[in-house]
Amino acid sequence: MNCSKTSIQSEVCRMEKMVEERSDITQQKRIIRKQVLAVRGGISAGDREQYDEAIREHVLTYSVYGEARVILAYASYQSEVDTTALIKRALADGKYVFTPKVSGDDMEFWRITAMEDLKKGYRGIPEPAESVSFPAWLARQCIPEAVRGDVHETENSAGTESMAGCGKGIFHVMMWMPGVVFDQARHRIGYGGGYYDRYLQRLACMREKNHGDSVDTGRKRQSMLLTTAALAYSCQVLAQVPYEAHDIRPDMLVTEEGVLQQADTEEW
């Protein structure tokens, strides 16, 4: 289009350029995604087992895992970094584990207590039954100051717990997220559905809504410190990938070669 200097035509040209740029980025992502999926799918069984073991070692020995009371873990599928052993270890370590389930355009994390809680769901991906969602569980993580201290977690009739003894009002949550392509700055290209971007935005909204003291009960909510860790093989990490403003970067990128991370995580 030949753009004149009139304000209306200039605005039309600007909008057309934005659409073209977004279309270009979407197309670039699609091409890169397809190429890297082919490379990831070509990793030999022997190498994959070795890489998975190295990634598990990095995750389990990192201080963030040790501090985490809650793990939001993807259940691995096809050629993704295997999380089966990691989930089993987290459960054995007494952590609260939640895995995602897709429903339409939405994704929610649901509590599991054993690997047997996972069944084939969306596109054959292992998914949990809808027991206790992470937001519902999180909303109950406050206790009266009068009984704070040596109170232990107890199971209530709804299958959720009240958590005490979380240090200085802060408890740590670690999310293990999948992805197809990453770069050295931890930009991420997922599978194209935007599920994790939207879910993390929802958690941010929950933080804004629920932060602080509960007016009607006088109870103080625990503050949640969330660390997002993407698990990937080094062949999935490029020098640079196309990204958009709404794309959320993980705090950490863990491969068999080590950990890339930002300096600070955010308190929720």
Side-chain angles (χ1 to χ4, degrees):
M1 178 179 178
N2 183 20
C3 300
S4 74
K5 295 183 179 180
T6 66
S7 60
I8 294 177
Q9 287 179 322
S10 296
E11 180 64 15
V12 169
C13 286
R14 187 186 69 83
M15 293 177 67
E16 286 183 344
K17 184 177 180 181
M18 288 176 61
V19 171
E20 289 175 0
E21 289 176 348
R22 169 169 277 186
S23 177
D24 287 344
I25 290 177
T26 300
Q27 181 65 14
Q28 290 171 24
K29 286 183 176 180
R30 186 178 297 114
I31 293 171
I32 294 172
R33 185 183 294 117
K34 183 177 180 180
Q35 293 173 338
V36 174
L37 279 174
V39 173
R40 190 180 74 178
I43 300 175
S44 69
D47 285 344
R48 188 179 302 278
E49 183 178 352
Q50 181 180 348
Y51 297 161
D52 286 341
E53 183 177 352
I55 291 170
R56 285 196 299 272
E57 184 70 13
H58 291 316
V59 171
L60 296 175
T61 58
Y62 212 73
S63 60
V64 174
Y65 174 80
E67 295 167 351
R69 297 291 302 272
V70 177
I71 302 293
L72 305 180
Y74 75 91
S76 53
Y77 175 66
Q78 293 186 341
S79 62
E80 293 176 336
V81 171
D82 184 64
T83 57
T84 303
L86 278 170
I87 292 174
K88 288 181 178 178
R89 173 63 181 272
L91 289 169
D93 286 343
K95 299 183 186 294
Y96 299 97
V97 178
F98 297 77
T99 59
K101 182 175 183 177
V102 168
S103 177
D105 292 333
D106 295 324
M107 179 180 74
E108 186 54 80
F109 281 78
W110 299 87
R111 173 96 186 270
I112 66 169
T113 57
M115 291 301 297
E116 290 71 25
D117 294 339
L118 296 172
K119 308 295 180 184
K120 286 187 178 181
Y122 176 73
R123 294 186 177 180
I125 299 171
E127 292 187 333
E130 297 184 4
S131 54
V132 180
S133 70
F134 177 61
W137 182 89
L138 185 63
R140 293 172 170 82
Q141 302 319 300
C142 55
I143 59 176
E145 294 288 342
V147 297
R148 197 181 297 274
D150 294 329
V151 179
H152 298 286
E153 296 114 1
T154 59
E155 192 82 10
N156 66 21
S157 59
T160 58
E161 294 84 8
S162 293
M163 186 165 63
C166 297
K168 298 179 180 180
I170 297 176
F171 71 96
H172 296 258
V173 177
M174 189 177 193
M175 174 186 280
W176 300 333
M177 60 194 304
V180 179
V181 195
F182 301 88
D183 66 16
Q184 295 293 330
R186 305 183 326 281
H187 292 114
R188 170 183 177 270
I189 297 178
Y191 292 92
Y195 292 105
Y196 279 85
D197 290 331
R198 290 194 296 274
Y199 192 78
L200 288 170
Q201 289 169 353
R202 281 178 55 204
L203 287 186
C205 291
M206 286 171 53
R207 176 201 55 182
E208 295 299 326
K209 182 178 180 180
N210 296 326
H211 189 69
D213 291 338
S214 174
V215 175
D216 57 343
T217 64
R219 297 183 296 179
K220 188 172 183 178
R221 296 184 183 277
Q222 304 290 340
S223 297
M224 180 178 72
L225 186 66
L226 173 68
T227 302
T228 53
L231 311 186
Y233 301 117
S234 58
C235 65
Q236 298 175 245
V237 184
L238 308 181
Q240 188 175 9
V241 299
Y243 63 91
E244 299 172 82
H246 65 265
D247 293 334
I248 294 177
R249 290 189 297 171
D251 300 315
M252 303 165 54
L253 174 58
V254 185
T255 74
E256 73 276 11
E257 295 181 353
V259 179
L260 283 173
Q261 70 176 100
Q262 67 178 24
D264 300 303
T265 53
E266 181 180 2
E267 184 177 321
W268 293 64

